[in-house]
Amino acid sequence: MRAIGLIGGLSWESTVIYYQIINQRIREKLGGSHSANSLIWSVDYTTVEDLIFAGRWDEVSKLLADAGRKLQDLGADVLLVCSNTFSRVSDDVARAASVPVLHIADVVGEAVRDRGMRKVGLLGTRFTMEEPFYRDRLAAHGLDVVVPPPEQRELVHRVIFDELVRGVLTESSREAYTRIIAGLAAGGAEGVILGCTEIELLITENDTPVPLLPSARLHAEAAAGFALSG
């Protein structure tokens, strides 16, 4: 089994999802008490949050690339940046490493295609919804990506940073997200990408009849598959 290197803490709330799902998939495939060979480098989230709001992405790139190299030196055979927003620097992490980096947008894009969808909604931070780094990556998979209108994007963004990354889950935010998802579906979205790993803490397919694509879960399952393929 190959070793998985997780660049986490982005935030740690969702890194827990990765660790849990990866180990669940390994146990399902191998049985018994099997678990994944894995390493986690968890950053201080406040540090990177301050950097992205200051537009200092070059420093974020260096910080996460350094984390990737450390995981590689410790024996990781594959790296994951456990975040959609911070996948903005995944290519930089890949350039600094000599092992593969599983890009979360590629994993999600392939999952959307496998489900036969072409037009999908995207929820995430303002960075993910509005900047090209994520939407263009999805478009390269032949997808038509739509996002909510500006005032709804702001609400989604605010809930992520004010609540979800701090482990705060409220019914009012769940209802607001559900309404936004319904609006995307009414606009023709065949499914909705939960393009922030923390959103999966708030919303599940039990909350909406619209098919959801949970990015953290899909990313973690892809990592488990890679580990078992070796």
Side-chain angles (χ1 to χ4, degrees):
M1 189 194 317
R2 293 190 278 191
I4 301 167
L6 302 175
I7 302 174
L10 303 167
S11 66
W12 72 260
E13 299 284 348
S14 63
T15 304
V16 172
I17 296 174
Y18 277 83
Y19 188 70
Q20 181 180 45
I21 291 171
I22 287 169
N23 284 292
Q24 285 173 343
R25 291 295 172 267
I26 297 296
R27 185 168 59 192
E28 287 170 6
K29 294 293 185 180
L30 300 182
S33 57
H34 280 287
S35 58
N37 292 328
S38 59
L39 300 155
I40 301 175
W41 189 275
S42 189
V43 305
D44 178 1
Y45 189 70
T46 293
T47 299
V48 290
E49 185 181 63
D50 289 347
L51 290 173
I52 64 173
F53 278 105
R56 293 157 60 185
W57 283 98
D58 56 337
E59 295 177 53
V60 174
S61 175
K62 182 179 184 305
L63 183 67
L64 299 192
D66 286 348
R69 280 191 294 267
K70 289 169 182 172
L71 289 169
Q72 177 182 302
D73 290 346
L74 289 168
D77 297 303
V78 65
L79 301 175
L80 285 75
V81 176
C82 299
S83 168
N84 292 278
T85 297
F86 290 91
S87 72
R88 190 181 194 270
V89 301
S90 282
D91 288 342
D92 296 334
V93 174
R95 280 189 286 270
S98 58
V99 297
V101 176
L102 289 183
H103 197 294
I104 191 169
D106 289 336
V107 170
V108 171
E110 290 169 8
V112 173
R113 278 206 333 251
D114 289 345
R115 287 161 172 76
M117 300 175 185
R118 292 296 301 276
K119 184 174 183 178
V120 287
L122 173 63
L123 298 184
T125 66
R126 186 167 59 239
F127 307 102
T128 301
M129 291 186 288
E130 296 180 358
E131 295 185 20
F133 70 91
Y134 197 87
R135 294 172 62 176
D136 285 358
R137 196 103 183 189
L138 293 174
H141 289 269
L143 306 181
D144 178 11
V145 182
V146 294
V147 296
E151 67 278 5
Q152 292 183 354
R153 295 200 298 268
E154 187 56 39
L155 184 151
V156 171
H157 178 88
R158 178 186 57 76
V159 168
I160 291 168
F161 284 104
D162 290 353
E163 298 176 19
L164 301 185
V165 300
R166 303 180 186 197
V168 177
L169 307 175
T170 69
E171 189 58 34
S172 60
S173 293
R174 181 178 292 107
E175 291 172 355
Y177 270 51
T178 301
R179 288 193 298 271
I180 292 169
I181 289 169
L184 290 168
E190 300 167 84
V192 175
I193 297 168
L194 303 184
C196 172
T197 52
E198 286 82 14
I199 296 177
E200 292 164 55
L201 301 168
L202 182 69
I203 293 285
T204 71
E205 288 199 334
N206 294 328
D207 299 307
T208 172
V210 182
L212 301 179
L213 294 118
S215 57
R217 175 173 292 274
L218 294 169
H219 204 197
E221 289 174 344
F226 183 95
L228 290 169
S229 68

